[in-house]
């Protein structure tokens, strides 16, 4: 089936099988390997991308469902050569160790701050509660997102 | 890598078009919306439909609002939308309390109310919430639409009265002034299926209970409810001893099964305790 998907502002047209999952479309068809692929069962959240601005687990979305829609992946966060504040926050606050969970965390964090620019710790933890990190113990992820919120409030 | 087996994919452009596609593909077609139950089942070959009919684009199934004295929830309303809706929270805190503990925020962005009900998992939360408030399900088929009380909607685990060729279009919930409701769930970790959960709905009139709804999930309650416990409450004051007794009756009527989430006794205990807590909070919230 022929699909036309806008990913990070760029349009891609591909011929795909309906059973292709969005995560594999992004990684294998488009080469956008920033989106990770982990549990395959909608539990871990490493595959989170934004579909029309809303974070979804791309291992549980068919690529054909994104036909005619807009997808944003971690590669699309950077603007004009500058990292998004949430990315800067993870750098500043040591928000990652192995980095496997990071792309998904960033996409959800971006969505959270777009809707709630001043989230408290509880709201941050709630937002990322569908995403697992095996390294950081979450403390620094929460701090990183707070850092981004404060950075955005200061400009 | 888990990938579904091959299938035909069709995108419904309207509700009549979806019905037409269902008819064309017959029994082995499945509707897909959020896909958070169906796609994992397809990966595991627990479901292997020949055709998927995608209804994600059908805005006419995403309505959410009050129609006269009824709250109307379109089948395609996402969990996140139900949770975010202030009117829902005002009239039916039970839905917000249930939604807050269904999966996680990212899954809730995608999963739908109708999909959850049609999946008919015996541990599903909204089934208990809708049972407690005595919702009605509107089902559309080639011959027109029919309305089914939610307590007759589930015919068994993973089975509903929705026939092949039919679509669940909306849920209708009667709004009764002064009624209160609440939901209580115990889960092993955030976003998990319940070990047990209970919803309650109470309307008081002149200091006594005029209407009572109890919803139970994951504990083997027939039709997700406990009618004997409800009947016991009618005409009584909403005081601790009464609510405790109703909770005891409710727990007794359950047939929980032991599994990795806990043994039978524990689940039955939870069914009683959570029913009591939900009833108490529903009573606090209901005006007399
Ligand atoms: S790979 Fe999608 S949630 Fe784990
Ligand atoms: S940084 Fe390793 S899983 Fe989160």
């Amino acid at each position: 089936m022929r699909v036309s998907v806008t990913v990070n502002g760029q349009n891609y047209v591909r011929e795909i099988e309906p059973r292709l999952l969005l995560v594999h479309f992004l990684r294998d068809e488009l080469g956008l390997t920033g989106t990770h692929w982990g549990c395959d069962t909608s539990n871990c959240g490493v595959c989170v991308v934004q579909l029309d601005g809303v974070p979804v687990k791309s291992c549980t979305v068919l690529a054909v469902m994104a036909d005619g829609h807009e997808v944003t992946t971690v590669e699309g966060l950077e603007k004009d050569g500058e990292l998004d504040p949430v990315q800067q926050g993870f750098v500043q606050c040591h928000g990652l160790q192995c980095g496997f969970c990071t792309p998904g965390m960033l996409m959800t964090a971006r969505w959270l701050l777009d809707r709630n620019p001043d989230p408290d710790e509880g709201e941050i933890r709630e937002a990322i509660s569908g995403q697992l990190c095996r390294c950081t113990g979450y403390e620094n992820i929460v701090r990183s997102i707070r850092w981004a919120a404060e950075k955005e409030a200061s400009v | 890598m888990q990938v579904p087996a091959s299938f035909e994919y069709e995108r419904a452009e309207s509700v009549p078009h979806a019905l037409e596609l269902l008819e064309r593909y017959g029994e082995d077609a499945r509707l897909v919306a959020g896909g958070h139950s169906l796609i994992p089942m397809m990966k595991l070959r627990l479901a292997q439909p020949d055709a998927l009919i995608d209804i994600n684009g059908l805005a006419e199934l995403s309505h959410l609002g009050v129609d006269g004295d009824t709250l109307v929830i379109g089948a395609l309303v996402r969990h996140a939308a139900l949770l975010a809706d202030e009117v829902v929270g005002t009239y039916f805190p039970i839905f917000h309390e249930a939604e807050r503990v269904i999966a996680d925020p990212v899954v809730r962005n995608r999963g739908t109310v109708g999909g959850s009900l049609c999946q008919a998992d015996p541990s599903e939360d909204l089934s208990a919430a809708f049972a407690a408030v005595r919702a009605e399900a509107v089902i559309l088929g080639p011959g027109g639409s029919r309305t089914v009380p939610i307590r007759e909607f589930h015919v068994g685990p993973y089975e509903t009265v929705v026939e092949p060729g039919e679509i669940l279009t909306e849920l209708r919930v009667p709004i009764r002034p002064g009624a209160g409701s609440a939901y209580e769930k115990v889960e092993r970790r955030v976003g998990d299926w319940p070990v047990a959960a209970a919803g309650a709905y109470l309307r008081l009139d002149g200091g006594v209970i005029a209407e009572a709804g109890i919803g139970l999930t994951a504990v083997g309650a027939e039709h997700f409810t406990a009618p004997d416990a409800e009947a016991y409450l009618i005409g009584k004051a909403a005081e601790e001893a009464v609510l405790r007794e109703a909770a005891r009756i409710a727990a007794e009527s359950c047939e929980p099964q032991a599994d990795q989430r806990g043994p039978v006794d524990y689940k039955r205990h939870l069914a009683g305790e959570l029913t009591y807590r939900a009833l108490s909070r529903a009573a606090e919230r209901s005006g007399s």
Side-chain angles (χ1 to χ4, degrees):
Chain A
M1 178 175 167
R2 199 180 159 82
V3 295
S4 161
V5 187
T6 302
V7 182
N8 302 330
Q10 192 180 331
N11 186 253
Y12 297 87
V13 176
R14 290 287 188 282
E15 192 68 40
I16 59 167
E17 267 195 279
R19 63 176 173 157
L20 183 68
L21 298 162
L22 181 57
V23 64
H24 301 308
F25 176 77
L26 295 169
R27 291 176 57 86
D28 304 341
E29 291 287 329
L30 307 188
L32 295 170
T33 53
T35 300
H36 291 165
W37 164 56
C39 69
D40 226 346
T41 55
S42 71
N43 281 294
C44 75
V46 303
C47 63
V48 170
V49 301
Q50 292 184 3
L51 180 59
D52 296 330
V54 174
V56 298
K57 295 184 174 177
S58 63
C59 68
T60 310
V61 174
L62 299 169
V64 285
M65 289 173 165
D67 181 27
H69 293 267
E70 288 193 26
V71 175
T72 310
T73 68
V74 68
E75 288 92 342
L77 283 180
E78 183 184 319
K79 294 268 153 27
D80 306 320
E82 198 177 328
L83 293 178
D84 187 277
V86 294
Q87 292 172 302
Q88 294 177 31
F90 275 65
V91 173
Q92 294 300 324
C93 302
H94 200 69
L96 65 146
Q97 289 178 35
C98 78
F100 192 62
C101 69
T102 313
M105 293 289 182
L106 291 170
M107 298 317 290
T108 302
R110 184 63 267 155
W111 172 71
L112 171 67
L113 295 184
D114 287 342
R115 300 183 344 148
N116 176 1
D118 187 25
D120 62 27
E121 178 177 341
E123 289 167 330
I124 293 173
R125 287 185 182 271
E126 158 75 10
I128 60 170
S129 61
Q131 293 166 248
L132 301 177
C133 176
R134 297 286 81 164
C135 303
T136 64
Y138 304 99
E139 285 294 325
N140 285 352
I141 294 179
V142 174
R143 266 184 224 134
S144 302
I145 297 172
R146 267 312 306 170
W147 187 96
E150 276 154 33
K151 160 103 183 186
E152 287 178 352
S154 71
V155 289
Chain B
M1 171 156 120
Q2 297 178 5
V3 170
S6 296
F7 53 84
E8 299 282 326
Y9 173 85
E10 296 274 4
R11 191 170 302 137
E13 306 295 344
S14 66
V15 172
H17 184 221
L19 287 174
E20 196 186 301
L21 290 166
L22 280 173
E23 188 172 340
R24 187 184 323 152
Y25 285 98
E27 287 216 3
D28 294 319
R30 291 291 293 273
L31 296 173
V32 66
H36 275 55
S37 301
L38 186 53
I39 293 173
M41 287 179 74
M42 289 170 67
K43 289 180 179 183
L44 296 170
R45 305 299 188 271
L46 294 172
Q48 218 165 316
D50 292 342
L52 278 192
I53 299 165
D54 184 350
I55 57 169
N56 277 296
L58 303 186
E60 63 261 53
L61 295 181
S62 303
H63 53 293
L64 176 57
V66 174
D67 172 16
D69 56 2
T70 304
L71 173 70
V72 184
I73 305 170
L76 196 60
V77 168
R78 313 273 169 193
H79 292 295
L82 191 64
L83 180 52
D85 192 275
E86 280 181 26
V87 174
V88 171
T90 304
Y91 289 120
F92 295 103
I94 187 173
F95 289 131
H96 277 192
E97 290 176 356
E99 281 294 357
R100 228 170 264 136
V101 289
I102 291 176
D104 61 66
V106 177
V107 169
R108 292 199 293 264
N109 281 337
R110 193 74 186 149
T112 64
V113 171
S116 292
L117 289 176
C118 288
Q119 172 69 11
D121 189 293
S123 300
E124 202 276 314
D125 289 292
L126 286 183
S127 305
F130 280 113
V133 298
R134 291 186 172 78
E136 289 181 328
V138 181
I139 300 168
L140 185 69
S145 93
R146 60 192 178 107
T147 301
V148 177
I150 201 72
R151 295 174 172 206
E152 292 165 24
F153 183 80
H154 298 93
V155 292
Y158 308 102
E159 250 182 284
T160 71
V161 295
V162 181
E163 299 283 342
E166 289 188 322
I167 303 179
L168 170 67
T169 55
E170 66 184 25
L171 285 310
R172 303 180 66 85
V173 192
I175 298 172
R176 303 253 193 281
S181 64
Y183 196 76
E184 292 276 346
K185 168 170 167 175
V186 167
E187 53 188 359
R188 292 177 307 171
R189 54 170 185 272
V190 170
D192 195 10
W193 296 95
V195 179
Y201 175 84
L202 287 179
R203 186 170 62 81
L204 304 183
D205 194 359
V208 298
I209 298 170
E211 210 182 329
I214 295 173
L216 287 158
T217 191
V219 288
E222 216 175 317
H223 300 294
F224 295 94
T225 184
D228 291 346
E230 292 169 339
Y232 169 81
L233 287 166
I234 302 300
K236 298 197 174 64
E239 56 196 32
E240 182 175 345
V242 168
L243 304 185
R244 283 267 174 219
E245 176 60 9
R248 190 194 63 77
I249 299 170
E252 214 148 85
S253 71
C254 296
E255 293 289 343
Q257 295 195 352
D259 60 14
Q260 78 278 15
R261 292 194 174 81
V264 169
D265 287 356
Y266 175 52
K267 291 187 181 185
R268 198 187 301 282
H269 167 76
L270 282 181
E273 183 58 30
L274 298 180
T275 300
Y276 170 71
R277 290 182 195 176
L279 283 170
S280 309
R281 289 199 300 115
E284 274 165 31
R285 285 171 175 164
S286 60
S288 56

